[in-house]
Amino acid sequence: MIIRKNNLLTITFLIINSLGLIRGEAQTSDLNIADSLFVLENYSEAIKMYEKITPESQYILLQIAKAHKAKGTYLDALRFYDIVIRNDSSLTSVKLEYAKLLVTTNKLKKADSVYNDLVSKYENNPNFQYRLGSVKKKLKDSTAITYFEKAFAIDSTHQKSCFEVAMYYLKKRRYNKVFEIANKGLLSYPENPELINILAQNYLLKEYYEKAIPYFEKLISLNFSNEFIHASLALCYHKNYDYEKAIIQYQESLKYNQKIPLRYTRLADAYTSIKKYEEALENYKIALELKDLPIEEDILNIALLYRHQEEWEKAMKQARLALKENPNYARAQYQLATFADAYYKDPQTKLDYYNLFMKKFGDKAGKAKYFHFIVERRISQLEKEIEATKKTVEKK
């Protein structure tokens, strides 16, 4: 009887053990299938397989989190990352993935907390400093710059932190500081378009147009063209008297946006400088059509183009239109007098236009004062001419 009982116990143990082995083999098989599905990026099916496996190990929970993240179900991914971290708070790589996803889902305060924890443990990791700075910047926390500066101080080749520091000082108009920081970053990566762009803007803001040109040209050569770069390079060429190149760049910038009147005005100015008056006139007119602001200056520019073509009646008409827009526009009044001077033969008619200028602007300072001197001299010449004509008539 005792022998039979022992045999029964042995058989029961063997059955249970066999079932355990079968169960273990089944779990291993399910895990292999789940991992294969994950590798093949069939994330939904992989998640189903992982969830069948019990008990759920840290590995399985983490794989489920990664699968949810990969397929874009971010809130589910965050839930599983949170479980993994609560089970084991020492998993730095998991915390980093978790923090990145918190930023992606705009849970910035929580991300700030996680990155703060990482920075406290790995103070000399420049990327952790940079990421914490990035979160604080999104939170509009003024301390963000301190973390960017720490990252760059730890690693001068850290391009992203270098950009943030250089941009911070560019906004502060600390031009020498920008030059120092950006060039330090370019030592390790000479073709970083963001740092090249910052240096270009740095020179542009200082109005060192000639020095800005090679940086904007470099950006275009690196295929980092955009509206701002073409418009800025155009202005730099323009200020450097390279009008042909300026025209090309203005035209490139207009391919991005055809609704900026100032750009047409500048293009017209460039055409005027190389005596292409028809093209200039066309662009001044486009600028006028687009402007919602006072337009007397552009109207006068059209008048000046007619002056170049010696079409004095048209020039006078435009000058009067400019004065209609702004009766206190001294330059338009002055130009009207000079157009009349060129158009009329009668010295008295010419004199009347100059006297009209003196009546309106003779006692005014500013730009009118400059015209005042020229007009006074011309009035004196015309008065002498009229007097000489009268004497000649009297002698006859």
Side-chain angles (χ1 to χ4, degrees), residues 55-222:
E56 292 179 319
S57 65
Q58 284 283 78
Y59 172 79
I60 289 170
L61 291 169
L62 183 55
Q63 287 297 95
I64 293 173
K66 288 180 176 181
H68 275 300
K69 179 185 174 184
K71 74 171 190 162
T73 46
Y74 294 138
L75 294 181
D76 288 327
L78 287 173
R79 182 163 55 86
F80 280 95
Y81 275 121
D82 188 55
I83 294 169
V84 172
I85 291 167
R86 278 192 281 110
N87 289 341
D88 186 353
S89 61
S90 68
L91 298 171
T92 301
S93 62
V94 178
K95 279 187 178 179
L96 185 56
E97 287 181 33
Y98 181 50
K100 289 177 183 177
L101 191 55
L102 286 168
V103 173
T104 300
T105 54
N106 213 34
K107 298 181 184 300
L108 300 176
K109 289 186 177 179
K110 181 65 176 175
D112 180 78
S113 173
V114 177
Y115 278 125
N116 261 306
D117 180 58
L118 289 168
V119 164
S120 67
K121 290 178 181 176
Y122 302 94
E123 191 176 354
N124 291 321
N125 185 315
N127 215 48
F128 288 176
Q129 296 281 358
Y130 166 75
R131 289 187 180 279
L132 180 55
S134 296
V135 171
K136 290 191 178 295
K137 182 181 175 183
K138 288 176 185 289
L139 288 168
K140 302 190 185 305
D141 186 330
S142 60
T143 65
I145 186 59
T146 62
Y147 296 97
F148 293 135
E149 288 185 316
K150 281 179 187 176
F152 191 53
I154 294 166
D155 181 3
S156 64
T157 69
H158 197 279
Q159 300 292 299
K160 290 182 178 179
S161 61
C162 179
F163 168 78
E164 292 291 349
V165 176
M167 181 57 78
Y168 173 82
Y169 285 110
L170 182 67
K171 289 176 181 177
K172 296 288 184 183
R173 300 297 188 263
R174 296 276 301 276
Y175 301 120
N176 291 338
K177 191 79 172 172
V178 173
F179 183 80
E180 174 194 335
I181 292 162
N183 276 297
K184 192 173 182 181
L186 287 173
L187 285 174
S188 57
Y189 183 29
E191 296 195 341
N192 183 331
E194 290 181 322
L195 295 181
I196 294 168
N197 193 12
I198 280 183
L199 284 170
Q201 290 183 57
N202 200 44
Y203 283 124
L204 184 65
L205 289 169
K206 289 183 75 174
E207 298 184 359
Y208 290 179
Y209 300 110
E210 188 175 2
K211 289 186 176 181
I213 287 171
Y215 290 96
F216 284 122
E217 288 178 334
K218 179 71 171 177
L219 287 168
I220 292 171
S221 73
L222 292 172

Side-chain angles (χ1 to χ4, degrees), residues 316 319-321 323-324 326-341 344 347-364 368 371-372 375-376 378-380 382-383:
M316 290 170 69
R320 289 191 183 100
L321 285 173
L323 285 165
K324 188 176 179 181
N326 180 4
N328 296 315
Y329 191 12
R331 189 184 177 199
Q333 194 72 55
Y334 166 75
Q335 293 293 354
L336 177 59
T338 63
F339 299 155
D341 196 345
Y344 293 110
Q348 185 59 53
T349 306
K350 298 180 182 187
L351 183 60
D352 290 343
Y353 277 92
Y354 284 114
N355 281 332
L356 179 59
F357 174 88
M358 293 302 291
K359 184 179 177 181
K360 288 180 68 175
F361 301 102
D363 60 345
K364 294 188 177 179
F371 299 124
H372 184 280
V375 170
E376 269 192 333
R378 185 58 180 150
I379 286 174
S380 177
L382 287 168
E383 285 175 343

